[in-house]
Amino acid sequence: MTETESIAYDVVVLGAGPVGENVADRTRAAGLSTAVVENELVGGECSYWACMPSKALLRPVIARADARRVPGLAQAVQGPLDTEAVLRRRDYMASDWKDDGQVGWLDGIGADLYRGHGRLAGPRTVVVEGRDGGRQVLTARHAVAVCTGTRAALPDLPGLADVRPWTSREATSGRAPGRLIVVGGGVVAVEMATAWQSLGAQVTMLVRGKGLLPRMEPFAGELIAEGLTEAGVDLRTGVSVTSVTRERPADADTGAPGTSARQGKGTVVAVTDTGERIEADEILFATGRAPKTDAIGLETVGLEPGSWLSVDDSMRVEGNEWLYAVGDVNHRALLTHQGKYQARIAGAAIAARAAGDTEEESAAWGAHAATADHGAVPQVVFTDPEAAAVGLSLAEAEQAGHRVRAVDVDFASVAAAGLYADGYRGRARMVVDLEAEILRGVTFVGPGVGELIHSATIAIAGEVPLSRLWHAVPSYPTLSEVWLRLLEAYRG
C-alpha cells in the first residue's frame, strides 16, 4: 500500500470484531458509506480467542458432566474425553484462525475493509498503516467509531514477560498442558480451569480474594468452587503470586509468539505470598482487562491514550459530536452481547444524526439509547454447575439505594431438577424492589440454567410487575418452574 490522497467515507470504524461489524452493518443498511479498519482477524476476539473457542472447549465437558448424572447413560460416559477431537472441533469453531468468511460478509454488506493499524490523526481523520508499509488517510463525514476492544491486563511482576504466560488468548487456542496454574477467580479463570481440568490437565487455581466470581451473588462462587474442587482442581483462595519464573532446559525452543502453539518449554515456578513454590507447565493470568486505546491516536483529539472512553447512551464520546466508542472500550459492560447491542444503538444514532434528525424531531430516539447497560445486563458462566445472572445483585441493589428483598429457592423444590439429573444441585435468587414490586436482579446456579436467563432479562428490562409474572405460566416439567417457586416464596 502506498500513500494516496485522503478517501472520504460517511463512517469509519476502527476494529472489525463483532462490535465493529454490527456498527458497519447498521450504517450500511442506512445507506452510509463505511470503511472498516482491522489489524488482526475480521471477527475479532470473540470469534477466535474468546466466546467461540472457549465454549467449544467447554461444551463436551458440560455435556459429559450432565450425562454422568443420568442413570442408564452414566456408565457409557465414564471414560476420558477425546482431547484431540475436542481441540479439532475448537479449531473448527474458530475457523482455524482464518477470517475469509467474515471478510466475505463485510464485502457482502458493501463495507470497505482496510488491513492495517488505524489511528486517529485529528478530528474525523484516520490514518491506516498498512501491512506493506504504506499509508492511507481516511476521513469521516459523520462519525468515527472506536471498536477496538480490550486486551488482557497482566500484573506487574518482575520477569513475567520472560515466562511467556498464558492470557485468555493462549488459554482458548493452546494445546493441553500437563499442569496448569490459573491465577484469578473471575469468569475466564473458572471457565478455563473447568475446561483444561476435564481435558486432562492438573489445575491449580490461585485466587487473591476470598471466593470466586466476586461480581455475582456469593452463592454462585461457592457452588462453582464446590464443582471445581470435586472435579479435581486444587483451589486456593486468599493467595497472591509474588514471583514467577520459567526454568528452561538448555535446548528449549521458546515457540512462536502470536500463534496458538505459544507454549514455552520448561517448568513454570510460581511463588506465593506464603512462600510456597508451585510448579506447572503453563501459567494463565486471568486478572482483568485493559482498553486497547493506547496506540490509536487519542492524543490527537484531546483524549488520553490507554484510557477507557466515557460515552452517553448513544455511544457518542462525551463532549464530542463525531467520535463514538462502542463495546468494551467504553467500560459499560465487557460482554460481547452487550457490545453488539451498543453497536446497534450507535449505528442507528449515527444514521439518524447523519439524516439531520434531532431528538425532538425523531419519534424513534428511544431506540437510540443503550438503557440496558445500566440495569439489565445478562451473563452466563459456562462451568459445572453453570451460573447465570442479570441485573443487580442484592448488594448492588442495596448500594444503589433500592429498598429490596432477596428471595431464594433451592432447585430441589423443582420437579424437573430431579428429571434433569440425579443429585441436581442449584439455587435461584430474585431481588425484588419492594416499592415498585418489580425485579432488580435474578441469579440462577445449576446445570442447564444458562437457558433460563433470558426470561429473567425480559422481566427486568420490561419492568414486569410481579403481579403479572404470576400469569406467565411455566411449562411442566421444566427447570423454568423455578419461577413459580420464587413467586410462591415471595408471597410467603
Side-chain angles (χ1 to χ4, degrees), residues 232-304:
V233 172
D234 181 359
L235 174 59
R236 310 180 192 188
T237 58
V239 176
S240 295
V241 176
T242 57
S243 69
V244 183
T245 56
R246 187 183 288 275
E247 299 175 351
R248 290 190 177 90
D251 60 348
D253 176 4
T254 59
T259 69
S260 62
R262 185 185 164 196
Q263 293 180 214
K265 302 294 183 180
T267 299
V268 173
V269 180
V271 178
T272 71
D273 52 357
T274 63
E276 186 176 7
R277 172 187 168 103
I278 304 170
E279 296 185 356
D281 301 298
E282 300 294 345
I283 185 167
L284 163 64
F285 280 89
T287 49
R289 308 290 296 180
K292 290 173 66 176
T293 60
D294 52 328
I296 61 169
L298 290 182
E299 68 279 4
T300 70
V301 294
L303 296 171
E304 182 181 352

Coordinates of all heavy atoms in Angstrom, one line a residue, residues 232-304:
G232 N -11.5 -32.0 40.7 CA -10.1 -32.3 40.9 C -9.2 -31.0 40.9 O -8.0 -31.1 41.0
V233 N -9.8 -29.9 40.7 CA -9.0 -28.6 40.7 C -8.5 -28.3 42.2 O -9.3 -28.5 43.1 CB -9.8 -27.4 40.2 CG1 -9.1 -26.1 40.4 CG2 -10.2 -27.7 38.7
D234 N -7.2 -28.0 42.3 CA -6.7 -27.6 43.6 C -6.9 -26.1 43.7 O -6.2 -25.2 43.2 CB -5.2 -27.9 43.6 CG -4.5 -27.5 44.9 OD1 -5.2 -27.0 45.8 OD2 -3.3 -27.7 45.0
L235 N -8.0 -25.7 44.4 CA -8.4 -24.3 44.5 C -7.9 -23.7 45.8 O -8.2 -24.2 46.9 CB -9.9 -24.3 44.5 CG -10.6 -22.9 44.7 CD1 -10.1 -21.9 43.7 CD2 -12.1 -23.0 44.7
R236 N -7.2 -22.6 45.7 CA -6.7 -21.9 46.9 C -7.1 -20.5 46.9 O -6.8 -19.8 45.9 CB -5.1 -22.1 47.0 CG -4.6 -23.5 46.7 CD -3.1 -23.6 46.8 NE -2.7 -24.9 46.3 CZ -1.4 -25.3 46.4 NH1 -0.5 -24.5 47.0 NH2 -1.1 -26.5 46.0
T237 N -7.8 -20.0 47.9 CA -8.2 -18.6 48.0 C -7.4 -17.9 49.0 O -6.7 -18.5 49.8 CB -9.7 -18.5 48.4 OG1 -9.9 -19.2 49.6 CG2 -10.5 -19.2 47.3
G238 N -7.4 -16.5 48.9 CA -6.6 -15.7 49.8 C -5.1 -15.8 49.5 O -4.3 -15.6 50.5
V239 N -4.8 -16.1 48.3 CA -3.4 -16.3 47.9 C -3.0 -15.4 46.8 O -3.7 -15.2 45.8 CB -3.2 -17.8 47.4 CG1 -1.7 -18.0 47.0 CG2 -3.5 -18.8 48.5
S240 N -1.8 -14.8 47.0 CA -1.3 -13.9 45.9 C 0.0 -14.4 45.4 O 0.8 -15.1 46.1 CB -1.0 -12.5 46.5 OG -2.2 -11.9 46.8
V241 N 0.3 -14.2 44.1 CA 1.5 -14.6 43.5 C 2.5 -13.5 43.6 O 2.2 -12.3 43.2 CB 1.3 -15.0 42.0 CG1 2.7 -15.3 41.3 CG2 0.4 -16.2 41.9
T242 N 3.7 -13.7 44.1 CA 4.7 -12.7 44.3 C 5.8 -12.7 43.3 O 6.5 -11.7 43.0 CB 5.3 -12.8 45.7 OG1 5.9 -14.1 45.9 CG2 4.3 -12.5 46.8
S243 N 6.0 -13.9 42.7 CA 7.1 -14.0 41.6 C 6.8 -15.2 40.8 O 6.2 -16.2 41.2 CB 8.5 -14.1 42.2 OG 8.7 -15.3 42.9
V244 N 7.2 -15.1 39.5 CA 7.1 -16.2 38.5 C 8.4 -16.3 37.7 O 8.9 -15.3 37.3 CB 5.9 -16.0 37.6 CG1 5.7 -17.2 36.7 CG2 4.6 -15.7 38.3
T245 N 8.8 -17.5 37.6 CA 10.0 -17.8 36.7 C 9.7 -19.0 35.9 O 8.8 -19.8 36.2 CB 11.3 -18.0 37.5 OG1 11.1 -19.1 38.4 CG2 11.7 -16.8 38.3
R246 N 10.5 -19.2 34.8 CA 10.4 -20.4 34.0 C 11.8 -21.0 33.9 O 12.7 -20.3 33.4 CB 9.8 -20.1 32.6 CG 9.6 -21.4 31.8 CD 9.1 -21.2 30.4 NE 7.8 -20.7 30.3 CZ 6.7 -21.5 30.3 NH1 6.8 -22.8 30.4 NH2 5.5 -20.9 30.1
E247 N 11.9 -22.2 34.4 CA 13.1 -22.9 34.3 C 13.2 -23.7 33.1 O 12.5 -24.8 33.0 CB 13.3 -23.8 35.6 CG 13.2 -23.0 36.9 CD 13.3 -23.8 38.1 OE1 13.1 -25.1 38.0 OE2 13.4 -23.3 39.2
R248 N 14.0 -23.3 32.1 CA 14.0 -23.9 30.8 C 15.3 -24.8 30.7 O 16.3 -24.4 31.1 CB 14.0 -22.9 29.7 CG 12.7 -22.2 29.5 CD 12.8 -21.3 28.2 NE 11.6 -20.6 27.9 CZ 11.3 -19.4 28.3 NH1 12.2 -18.8 29.0 NH2 10.1 -18.9 28.0
P249 N 15.1 -26.0 30.0 CA 16.3 -26.8 29.7 C 17.1 -26.0 28.7 O 16.7 -25.1 28.0 CB 15.7 -28.1 29.2 CG 14.4 -27.7 28.7 CD 13.9 -26.6 29.6
A250 N 18.4 -26.4 28.6 CA 19.3 -25.7 27.7 C 18.9 -25.7 26.2 O 19.2 -24.8 25.5 CB 20.7 -26.3 27.8
D251 N 18.2 -26.8 25.8 CA 17.8 -26.9 24.4 C 16.4 -26.5 24.1 O 15.8 -26.9 23.1 CB 18.0 -28.4 23.9 CG 17.1 -29.3 24.7 OD1 16.6 -28.9 25.8 OD2 17.0 -30.5 24.3
A252 N 15.8 -25.7 25.0 CA 14.4 -25.3 24.9 C 14.1 -24.5 23.7 O 14.9 -23.6 23.3 CB 13.9 -24.5 26.1
D253 N 13.0 -24.7 23.1 CA 12.5 -23.9 21.9 C 11.5 -22.9 22.5 O 10.5 -23.4 23.1 CB 11.9 -24.8 20.9 CG 11.3 -24.0 19.7 OD1 11.4 -22.8 19.7 OD2 10.6 -24.6 18.9
T254 N 11.7 -21.6 22.4 CA 10.8 -20.7 23.0 C 9.5 -20.5 22.3 O 8.6 -19.9 22.8 CB 11.5 -19.3 23.1 OG1 11.8 -18.9 21.8 CG2 12.7 -19.3 23.9
G255 N 9.3 -21.1 21.1 CA 8.0 -21.1 20.5 C 7.8 -19.8 19.6 O 8.7 -19.0 19.5
A256 N 6.7 -19.7 18.9 CA 6.4 -18.6 18.0 C 5.4 -17.7 18.6 O 4.2 -18.1 18.8 CB 6.0 -19.1 16.7
P257 N 5.8 -16.5 19.0 CA 4.8 -15.6 19.6 C 3.6 -15.3 18.7 O 3.8 -15.3 17.4 CB 5.6 -14.3 19.8 CG 7.0 -14.7 19.9 CD 7.1 -15.9 18.9
G258 N 2.4 -15.2 19.2 CA 1.2 -14.9 18.5 C 0.6 -16.1 17.8 O -0.4 -15.9 17.0
T259 N 1.0 -17.3 18.0 CA 0.4 -18.5 17.4 C -0.3 -19.2 18.5 O -0.1 -19.1 19.7 CB 1.4 -19.4 16.7 OG1 2.2 -20.0 17.8 CG2 2.3 -18.6 15.8
S260 N -1.2 -20.2 18.0 CA -2.0 -21.0 19.0 C -1.1 -21.9 19.7 O -1.5 -22.5 20.7 CB -3.1 -21.7 18.3 OG -2.6 -22.6 17.3
A261 N 0.1 -22.2 19.3 CA 1.1 -23.1 19.9 C 2.1 -22.4 20.8 O 3.1 -22.8 21.1 CB 1.8 -23.9 18.8
R262 N 1.7 -21.2 21.2 CA 2.6 -20.3 22.0 C 2.7 -20.9 23.4 O 2.1 -20.4 24.4 CB 2.1 -18.9 22.1 CG 3.0 -17.9 22.8 CD 2.4 -16.6 22.8 NE 3.1 -15.8 23.8 CZ 2.6 -14.7 24.3 NH1 1.4 -14.2 24.0 NH2 3.2 -14.0 25.2
Q263 N 3.4 -22.0 23.6 CA 3.7 -22.6 24.9 C 5.2 -22.7 25.1 O 5.9 -23.3 24.3 CB 3.0 -23.9 25.0 CG 1.5 -23.9 25.0 CD 0.9 -25.3 25.1 OE1 -0.1 -25.6 24.5 NE2 1.5 -26.2 25.8
G264 N 5.7 -22.0 26.2 CA 7.1 -22.1 26.4 C 7.5 -23.4 27.0 O 6.7 -24.1 27.6
K265 N 8.7 -23.8 26.7 CA 9.2 -25.1 27.2 C 9.8 -24.9 28.6 O 10.2 -23.8 28.9 CB 10.3 -25.6 26.3 CG 9.9 -25.9 24.8 CD 8.8 -26.9 24.7 CE 8.5 -27.2 23.2 NZ 7.5 -28.2 23.1
G266 N 9.8 -26.0 29.3 CA 10.3 -25.9 30.7 C 9.3 -25.8 31.7 O 8.1 -25.8 31.4
T267 N 9.7 -25.6 33.0 CA 8.7 -25.6 34.1 C 8.5 -24.2 34.6 O 9.5 -23.4 34.8 CB 9.3 -26.4 35.2 OG1 9.5 -27.8 34.8 CG2 8.4 -26.4 36.4
V268 N 7.3 -23.8 34.8 CA 6.9 -22.5 35.4 C 6.9 -22.7 36.9 O 6.4 -23.7 37.4 CB 5.5 -22.1 35.0 CG1 5.1 -20.8 35.8 CG2 5.5 -21.7 33.5
V269 N 7.5 -21.8 37.6 CA 7.5 -21.8 39.1 C 6.9 -20.5 39.6 O 7.4 -19.4 39.3 CB 9.0 -21.9 39.6 CG1 8.9 -21.9 41.2 CG2 9.6 -23.2 39.1
A270 N 5.8 -20.7 40.3 CA 5.1 -19.5 40.9 C 5.3 -19.6 42.4 O 5.1 -20.7 43.0 CB 3.6 -19.6 40.6
V271 N 5.7 -18.5 43.0 CA 5.9 -18.4 44.4 C 4.8 -17.5 45.0 O 4.5 -16.4 44.5 CB 7.3 -17.8 44.8 CG1 7.5 -17.7 46.3 CG2 8.4 -18.7 44.2
T272 N 4.1 -18.0 46.0 CA 3.0 -17.2 46.6 C 3.5 -16.4 47.8 O 4.7 -16.4 48.2 CB 1.9 -18.2 47.1 OG1 2.4 -18.9 48.3 CG2 1.6 -19.2 46.1
D273 N 2.6 -15.5 48.3 CA 2.9 -14.7 49.4 C 3.2 -15.4 50.7 O 3.7 -14.8 51.7 CB 1.8 -13.6 49.6 CG 0.4 -14.2 49.8 OD1 0.3 -15.4 49.6 OD2 -0.5 -13.4 50.0
T274 N 2.9 -16.7 50.7 CA 3.2 -17.5 51.9 C 4.5 -18.2 51.8 O 4.9 -19.0 52.6 CB 2.1 -18.6 52.1 OG1 2.0 -19.5 51.0 CG2 0.7 -17.9 52.3
G275 N 5.2 -18.0 50.6 CA 6.5 -18.6 50.3 C 6.4 -20.0 49.7 O 7.4 -20.6 49.4
E276 N 5.2 -20.4 49.4 CA 5.0 -21.7 48.7 C 5.4 -21.7 47.3 O 5.2 -20.7 46.6 CB 3.5 -22.2 48.8 CG 3.3 -23.6 48.3 CD 1.9 -24.1 48.5 OE1 1.0 -23.2 48.9 OE2 1.6 -25.3 48.2
R277 N 6.1 -22.7 46.8 CA 6.6 -22.8 45.4 C 5.7 -23.8 44.7 O 5.5 -25.0 45.1 CB 8.0 -23.3 45.5 CG 8.6 -23.6 44.1 CD 10.0 -24.2 44.4 NE 10.5 -24.8 43.1 CZ 11.5 -24.3 42.4 NH1 12.0 -23.1 42.7 NH2 11.9 -24.9 41.3
I278 N 5.0 -23.4 43.6 CA 4.1 -24.3 42.8 C 4.7 -24.4 41.4 O 5.0 -23.4 40.8 CB 2.7 -23.7 42.8 CG1 2.2 -23.5 44.2 CG2 1.8 -24.6 42.0 CD1 0.9 -22.7 44.3
E279 N 4.8 -25.6 40.9 CA 5.3 -25.8 39.6 C 4.2 -26.2 38.6 O 3.2 -26.9 39.0 CB 6.4 -26.9 39.6 CG 7.6 -26.5 40.5 CD 8.7 -27.6 40.4 OE1 8.5 -28.7 39.7 OE2 9.8 -27.4 40.9
A280 N 4.4 -25.9 37.3 CA 3.5 -26.2 36.3 C 4.1 -26.1 34.9 O 5.3 -25.6 34.8 CB 2.2 -25.3 36.4
D281 N 3.4 -26.5 33.9 CA 3.9 -26.4 32.5 C 3.5 -25.0 32.0 O 4.3 -24.5 31.2 CB 3.4 -27.5 31.7 CG 3.7 -28.9 32.2 OD1 4.9 -29.2 32.2 OD2 2.8 -29.7 32.6
E282 N 2.4 -24.5 32.4 CA 1.9 -23.2 31.9 C 1.2 -22.5 33.1 O 0.7 -23.1 34.0 CB 0.9 -23.3 30.7 CG 1.5 -24.0 29.5 CD 2.6 -23.3 28.8 OE1 2.8 -22.1 29.1 OE2 3.3 -23.9 28.0
I283 N 1.2 -21.2 33.0 CA 0.5 -20.4 33.9 C -0.4 -19.4 33.2 O 0.1 -18.7 32.3 CB 1.5 -19.6 34.9 CG1 0.7 -18.9 36.0 CG2 2.4 -18.7 34.1 CD1 1.6 -18.4 37.1
L284 N -1.6 -19.4 33.6 CA -2.6 -18.4 33.0 C -2.9 -17.3 34.0 O -3.3 -17.6 35.1 CB -3.9 -19.2 32.7 CG -5.2 -18.4 32.4 CD1 -5.0 -17.5 31.2 CD2 -6.4 -19.3 32.3
F285 N -2.7 -16.1 33.5 CA -3.1 -14.9 34.3 C -4.5 -14.4 33.8 O -4.6 -13.9 32.6 CB -2.1 -13.8 34.3 CG -0.9 -14.1 35.2 CD1 0.2 -14.8 34.7 CD2 -1.0 -13.6 36.5 CE1 1.2 -15.0 35.6 CE2 0.1 -13.9 37.4 CZ 1.2 -14.6 36.9
A286 N -5.5 -14.6 34.5 CA -6.9 -14.1 34.2 C -7.2 -13.1 35.2 O -8.1 -13.3 36.1 CB -7.9 -15.3 34.2
T287 N -6.5 -11.9 35.1 CA -6.6 -10.9 36.2 C -7.1 -9.6 35.7 O -6.8 -8.5 36.2 CB -5.2 -10.7 36.8 OG1 -4.2 -10.6 35.7 CG2 -4.8 -12.0 37.6
G288 N -8.0 -9.6 34.7 CA -8.6 -8.4 34.3 C -8.3 -8.0 32.8 O -7.5 -8.7 32.1
R289 N -8.9 -6.9 32.4 CA -8.8 -6.4 31.0 C -8.4 -5.0 31.0 O -8.7 -4.2 32.0 CB -10.1 -6.6 30.2 CG -10.7 -8.0 30.3 CD -9.9 -9.0 29.5 NE -9.9 -8.7 28.1 CZ -9.2 -9.5 27.2 NH1 -8.5 -10.5 27.6 NH2 -9.2 -9.1 25.9
A290 N -7.8 -4.5 29.9 CA -7.4 -3.1 29.8 C -7.9 -2.7 28.4 O -7.8 -3.5 27.4 CB -5.9 -2.9 29.9
P291 N -8.2 -1.4 28.2 CA -8.7 -1.0 26.9 C -7.6 -0.9 25.8 O -6.5 -0.5 26.2 CB -9.3 0.4 27.1 CG -8.5 0.9 28.3 CD -8.2 -0.3 29.2
K292 N -7.9 -1.3 24.6 CA -6.9 -1.2 23.5 C -7.0 0.2 22.9 O -7.5 0.3 21.7 CB -7.1 -2.4 22.5 CG -6.7 -3.7 23.1 CD -7.1 -4.8 22.1 CE -6.3 -4.8 20.8 NZ -6.6 -6.0 20.0
T293 N -6.7 1.2 23.6 CA -6.8 2.5 23.2 C -5.4 3.3 23.3 O -5.4 4.5 23.1 CB -7.8 3.3 23.9 OG1 -7.5 3.3 25.3 CG2 -9.2 2.7 23.8
D294 N -4.4 2.5 23.6 CA -3.1 3.2 23.9 C -2.4 3.6 22.6 O -1.5 4.5 22.6 CB -2.2 2.3 24.7 CG -2.0 0.9 24.1 OD1 -3.0 0.4 23.4 OD2 -1.0 0.3 24.2
A295 N -2.7 3.1 21.4 CA -2.0 3.4 20.2 C -2.9 3.7 19.1 O -2.6 3.4 17.9 CB -1.1 2.2 19.8
I296 N -4.0 4.4 19.4 CA -4.9 4.8 18.3 C -5.1 6.3 18.1 O -6.1 6.7 17.5 CB -6.3 4.1 18.5 CG1 -6.9 4.6 19.8 CG2 -6.2 2.6 18.5 CD1 -8.4 4.2 20.0
G297 N -4.1 7.0 18.6 CA -4.1 8.4 18.3 C -5.1 9.3 19.1 O -5.4 10.4 18.7
L298 N -5.5 8.8 20.3 CA -6.4 9.6 21.1 C -5.9 11.0 21.5 O -6.6 12.0 21.6 CB -6.8 8.9 22.4 CG -7.6 7.6 22.3 CD1 -7.9 7.0 23.6 CD2 -8.9 7.9 21.5
E299 N -4.6 11.1 21.6 CA -4.0 12.4 22.0 C -4.2 13.4 20.9 O -4.2 14.6 21.2 CB -2.5 12.2 22.2 CG -1.6 11.9 21.0 CD -1.6 10.4 20.6 OE1 -2.4 9.6 21.3 OE2 -0.9 10.0 19.7
T300 N -4.5 13.0 19.6 CA -4.7 14.0 18.6 C -6.1 14.6 18.6 O -6.3 15.6 17.9 CB -4.5 13.3 17.2 OG1 -5.6 12.4 16.9 CG2 -3.1 12.6 17.1
V301 N -6.9 14.1 19.5 CA -8.3 14.7 19.6 C -8.6 15.0 21.1 O -9.7 15.1 21.5 CB -9.4 13.7 19.1 CG1 -9.2 13.6 17.6 CG2 -9.3 12.4 19.8
G302 N -7.5 15.2 21.8 CA -7.6 15.7 23.2 C -8.0 14.7 24.2 O -8.5 15.0 25.3
L303 N -7.8 13.4 23.9 CA -8.1 12.3 24.9 C -6.9 11.6 25.3 O -5.8 11.7 24.6 CB -9.1 11.4 24.2 CG -10.5 11.9 23.9 CD1 -11.3 11.0 23.0 CD2 -11.3 12.3 25.1
E304 N -7.0 10.9 26.4 CA -5.8 10.3 27.0 C -5.6 8.9 26.4 O -6.4 8.0 26.5 CB -5.9 10.1 28.5 CG -4.7 9.5 29.2 CD -4.9 9.4 30.7 OE1 -5.9 9.9 31.2 OE2 -4.1 8.7 31.3

